Amino acid sequence: MVAEPIRHVLAQDLAPPVRLDQVASRAGLPMSLRAHTRDDPYYSSLFTLSSRAAWTGRDLILREMAAGADLAVPWQFRKSVEVLRSPDDDPIGDILATHRQDAIRMLSAVNMWRTMTVPQMAAMVGAARWAKSGWPTPVARAHGGGLLQAGVLTSLVRADLPTLLRVDPDGDPGPLLDRLTFAEWLGLTSGQLWRGSNTPDRHNIMVVEMALRIAQMCPGAGVVLGEMCGNHDLLLGVESKRLSRRRADSVVIRKDGLKIALEATASDRFAGKMENWVDFLVADKSKSTVVVFVEMVRPGYSSEATYQAIFRGMAKAVSSSMSAVAAGVLERMFLVRWSDWFPAAGVVTPDFATLPATRYAGDGIGSHASWARVDLLDPASLPFSAGATPRDPMTALSNARLLTGAPKVLTDKISAPMPDVGAALRATAGFPTIPGV
């Protein structure tokens, strides 16, 4: 028996799309860092052959050089090879001496978001001069210095694909970390380990692009954070020496403190992940976090079937237990498709500004299932009572000013006061004031 199709009304309810270069953008963001200047990872040919890139780092290049191999490296990596051929060079010291703030932001962004293209990195950092340079000198020196790996994509139709960046899992961050202040270390690592990731590259690039578009086009977003800050324990405010392995792909903190966890998926095989989010929402007694699943199945694949499977899984999950019903999980779990927001390459619905999504309304199945549109960034559509939370929800927004991996165009505009890192460090050490003062 063929399942009855689910009536999907969100796309019909949204304003007609406009070109990306015509949409209102956040003030202060240079034109060269806006979405229409970058490859669209959903509609373009970035990942036509594979969801992963071919990666190279310092150790691989050194091994090939030691073996006497004739290095046929892409042109953009030649600067990295030059670093490796100068054993007395100090690439990490050099980038900190000449590009300290931008270099720390660049490394923080790659660490927080796991994988990104060079143009995406430039937009995160706010470095317009890096947007079209292909392989900026600080990136080359971080690559040659063993901090970052470079990823190359393959396409049968294009030769100008952007280079990808990720943390080098074989590299030694010590020479970098030893030269940072405590505040710089905190901004770089979010207070966690410097480490790599094995998440499929397409998934990460899609998440980063989604975050950058939210930062550019959604005035209700206070800040957008990467996977490193999406840990379930961190979102719940649970103090733990060993954080949970469960994470959101990204977290948008609304200006009133509500946290919107973004979960990207290109498959309907994630029932376990949905159950984890039900458990999380039940545990979140403050109701200060909601979650939205963003379907990103490649165009041309069975997107409709995947979407229907996700919706049915959600309808089942939100009422899977009495605790889920009592916690109001149904009202805090949402679903949207990338193609709802961006129905074709180079365009966006103006409604994206409020981050519209749908939720299961709890009645009907199949084509009779009831949907409810919710604009996640609109407090009138999705109310949030800060007084119901045991902690000040604005603390997370204030602390985000320290996180140099978040989009600079947002962190620069956070009005909350900058946290006193020095006072926190002294208190931890047991000194309420500076000794001797």
Side-chain angles (χ1 to χ4, degrees):
M1 180 176 178
V2 179
E4 199 172 4
I6 292 173
R7 181 167 52 90
H8 179 57
V9 300
L10 181 60
Q12 302 169 15
D13 191 40
L14 299 179
V18 298
R19 283 177 15 203
L20 283 171
D21 60 350
Q22 296 177 331
V23 73
S25 296
R26 196 173 297 266
L29 187 66
M31 188 65 69
S32 62
L33 299 180
R34 298 183 183 183
H36 70 277
T37 66
R38 295 187 298 273
D39 280 283
D40 185 318
Y42 185 80
Y43 291 106
S44 73
S45 58
L46 288 186
F47 295 96
T48 52
L49 296 183
S50 173
S51 63
R52 293 183 182 272
W55 292 94
T56 181
R58 174 187 174 91
D59 285 358
L60 175 60
I61 296 175
L62 284 175
R63 285 198 301 272
E64 294 298 315
M65 290 171 63
D70 183 15
L71 295 179
V73 296
W75 66 268
Q76 65 266 42
F77 298 164
R78 291 173 189 169
K79 292 181 183 177
S80 307
V81 174
E82 290 173 7
V83 171
L84 297 175
R85 285 177 172 158
S86 304
D88 296 329
D89 197 2
D90 180 12
I92 296 172
D94 177 70
I95 58 175
L96 290 178
T98 57
H99 306 275
R100 189 177 191 90
Q101 296 305 317
D102 283 347
I104 290 174
R105 281 195 168 276
M106 175 258 293
L107 295 169
S108 302
V110 177
N111 190 41
M112 177 183 282
W113 297 91
R114 305 307 185 196
T115 314
M116 59 180 56
T117 67
V118 172
Q120 286 178 332
M121 178 276 295
M124 281 283 179
V125 173
R129 65 190 182 282
W130 291 353
K132 296 297 183 182
S133 65
W135 198 240
T137 297
V139 175
R141 299 190 79 74
H143 182 220
L147 296 176
L148 300 179
Q149 285 190 334
V152 178
L153 297 167
T154 302
S155 172
L156 297 177
V157 295
R158 287 183 54 187
D160 61 340
L161 297 179
T163 305
L164 275 55
L165 301 171
R166 74 178 183 186
V167 169
D168 190 336
D170 302 317
D172 176 16
L176 169 67
L177 302 180
D178 291 346
R179 291 166 164 157
L180 302 181
T181 66
F182 178 69
E184 289 172 335
W185 170 83
L186 192 60
L188 175 75
T189 66
S190 304
Q192 301 176 54
L193 295 176
W194 170 271
R195 64 181 181 84
S197 171
N198 290 321
T199 312
D201 302 319
R202 178 184 184 272
H203 175 277
N204 286 350
I205 298 302
M206 289 290 300
V207 170
V208 171
E209 188 60 33
M210 175 171 57
L212 287 172
R213 294 185 180 195
I214 291 172
Q216 175 186 333
M217 305 177 210
C218 299
V223 75
V224 190
L225 304 175
E227 177 197 312
M228 177 169 282
C229 298
N231 183 279
H232 285 201
D233 288 343
L234 293 177
L235 294 176
L236 289 171
V238 175
E239 295 185 5
S240 175
K241 291 183 178 180
R242 188 170 185 176
L243 293 175
S244 167
R245 294 174 61 88
R246 299 173 182 175
R247 299 172 181 265
D249 292 319
S250 178
V251 180
V252 180
I253 303 181
R254 211 166 67 178
K255 288 184 176 179
D256 60 1
L258 177 70
K259 297 185 286 290
I260 303 168
L262 302 173
E263 216 28 279
T265 181
S267 167
D268 60 354
R269 297 187 296 273
F270 71 115
K273 182 177 288 189
M274 191 170 284
E275 291 170 3
N276 291 340
W277 276 109
V278 170
D279 292 342
F280 171 91
L281 294 174
V282 170
D284 179 24
K285 305 302 182 184
S286 67
K287 297 187 177 180
S288 60
T289 303
V290 300
V291 60
V292 55
F293 293 90
V294 185
E295 180 264 296
M296 297 179 172
V297 176
R298 293 184 188 182
Y301 289 74
S302 54
S303 176
E304 188 63 35
T306 300
Y307 185 84
Q308 291 185 28
I310 294 172
F311 180 79
R312 290 192 179 92
M314 180 178 295
K316 179 180 179 181
V318 297
S319 57
S320 57
S321 66
M322 289 301 297
S323 58
V325 174
V329 170
L330 179 147
E331 298 174 352
R332 296 157 60 206
M333 184 177 283
F334 307 92
L335 179 61
V336 70
R337 309 169 88 163
W338 179 274
S339 57
D340 290 335
W341 292 337
F342 311 102
V347 301
V348 58
T349 172
D351 288 358
F352 177 66
T354 56
L355 222 59
T358 55
R359 70 172 179 84
Y360 178 56
D363 57 325
I365 58 173
S367 63
H368 303 289
S370 179
W371 300 74
R373 170 177 169 172
V374 178
D375 292 87
L376 303 179
L377 289 176
D378 181 1
S381 180
L382 181 60
F384 171 57
S385 175
T389 63
R391 299 185 180 188
D392 183 356
M394 299 304 291
T395 300
L397 197 58
S398 176
N399 289 344
R401 291 192 64 184
L402 297 168
L403 303 180
T404 44
K408 186 175 185 293
V409 70
L410 291 182
T411 55
D412 281 354
K413 291 179 170 58
I414 296 175
S415 59
M418 178 72 78
D420 188 343
V421 176
L425 186 59
R426 292 193 301 273
T428 302
F431 296 105
T433 60
I434 300 175
V437 177

